[in-house]
Amino acid sequence: MTDSLEVEPIARRLAAVRARIEAAARRAGRDPAGVRLIAVTKGVPAGRIREAVAAGLTAFGENRVQELVSKARELAGQRDGVSGPVAWHMIGHLQRNKVRHVVPVAAMLHSLDSLQLAVDLDRYLGRLGRRLPVLVEVNTSGEPTKWGVPPGDAEALVRAASALPSLEVAGLMTVGPYTSDEGAVRASFRLLRELLTRIKEAGAAGDGFAELSMGMSADFDLAIEEGATMVRIGTAIFGPRP
Ligand SMILES: *Cc1c(COP(=O)(O)O)cnc(C)c1O
């Protein structure tokens, strides 16, 4: 049975995901165009990613540096049926010694989680004469296995990173708790939204500080209802990972 799921065309799965995004946005009285879909391709081979590009996807996310770099390179030569270039988002924890590999290929980093990383990124970007949009990752659930700064530390990191010339601090990111308790998942997303508002009102960030990257296959409907501007979706588009 899962076999037939795995070979289901991406275009069909994508249509179902887009319908869910639209329905969730409408429930919240939001414009669905205000929600960007980042297709998470970890464990997905390049051929399936090409199929996704042909189906209209242009933004992809990876959580490992090696996969990010090799896929960005492999897809760069992409032509047939493709309109314009695709963007790669780094969504996983980034070690400081990998900064130089990620900077040349990433359109955005969703997982800024320390001032040291921000400083290293800024220094490397400065050398290349480039700027990079980043999101500060917040551990909104308090789960010890999660990356991200505690909610109470988010404002300080946003403020410090915003002062660095080569970083554009564009918003916040979180991974919801692994639970079927809808209330707990919602509370985590709501906390991120409230943090964004509070940090903005405190004047800790620039005008472009507006993105909320939250919601994965299991919980993106809730995330959109709570204000997500970017959802990171893997299995709902590509099928279960091997
Ligand atoms: C894997 C991953 C996702 C997507 O997860 P799915 O459940 O496959 O949709 C989103 N965000 C991050 C940080 C991930 O590592």
Side-chain angles (χ1 to χ4, degrees):
M1 303 249 261
T2 47
D3 280 353
S4 68
L5 271 180
E6 278 165 29
V7 299
E8 191 180 343
I10 283 170
R12 195 182 310 158
R13 288 176 164 277
L14 180 59
V17 166
R18 288 209 195 281
R20 276 172 66 187
I21 289 174
E22 197 167 315
R26 302 237 182 267
R27 278 198 299 279
R30 301 182 52 202
D31 180 356
V35 183
R36 278 157 77 190
L37 171 57
I38 314 294
V40 177
T41 51
K42 64 189 181 208
V44 177
R48 289 283 272 172
I49 303 175
R50 288 204 182 86
E51 195 185 335
V53 173
L57 285 169
T58 54
F60 297 97
E62 278 289 344
N63 69 339
R64 287 193 206 92
V65 172
Q66 190 52 49
E67 257 184 281
L68 177 88
V69 171
S70 66
K71 283 173 184 168
R73 226 173 254 151
E74 213 170 335
L75 272 284
Q78 174 87 38
R79 264 180 296 275
D80 302 349
V82 177
S83 57
V86 301
W88 289 89
H89 294 243
M90 176 59 184
I91 62 173
H93 175 67
L94 176 57
Q95 287 173 284
R96 291 166 61 197
N97 62 0
K98 303 265 173 70
V99 159
R100 67 186 187 285
H101 300 297
V102 166
V103 160
V105 291
M108 182 181 273
L109 172 72
H110 289 230
S111 46
L112 183 68
D113 55 7
S114 76
L115 183 56
Q116 294 93 316
L117 176 61
V119 168
D120 285 2
L121 279 164
D122 180 67
R123 191 176 301 142
Y124 195 75
L125 285 158
R127 238 184 272 160
L128 301 183
R130 273 195 49 203
R131 303 191 82 218
L132 181 71
V134 298
L135 307 177
V136 167
E137 180 171 358
V138 182
N139 182 348
T140 50
S141 63
E143 288 179 349
T145 53
K146 290 241 159 71
W147 294 103
V149 298
D153 293 353
E155 183 178 326
L157 182 52
V158 168
R159 194 182 288 279
S162 299
L164 298 171
S166 299
L167 295 184
E168 283 168 38
V169 185
L172 301 175
M173 179 273 223
T174 199
V175 176
Y178 297 117
T179 170
S180 54
D181 176 355
E182 194 182 302
V185 176
R186 222 180 249 289
S188 159
F189 295 148
R190 195 169 297 158
L191 173 58
L192 198 73
R193 188 190 58 207
E194 288 166 358
L195 269 176
L196 186 95
T197 306
R198 219 178 301 154
I199 292 170
K200 224 188 300 191
E201 284 172 0
D207 291 341
F209 186 72
E211 303 282 356
L212 286 169
S213 170
M214 56 190 195
M216 310 178 14
S217 293
D219 55 21
F220 71 84
D221 319 72
L222 292 179
I224 291 167
E225 287 178 28
E226 296 299 335
T229 63
M230 304 174 112
V231 289
R232 310 176 309 270
I233 301 178
T235 50
I237 295 170
F238 296 105
R241 281 182 284 273

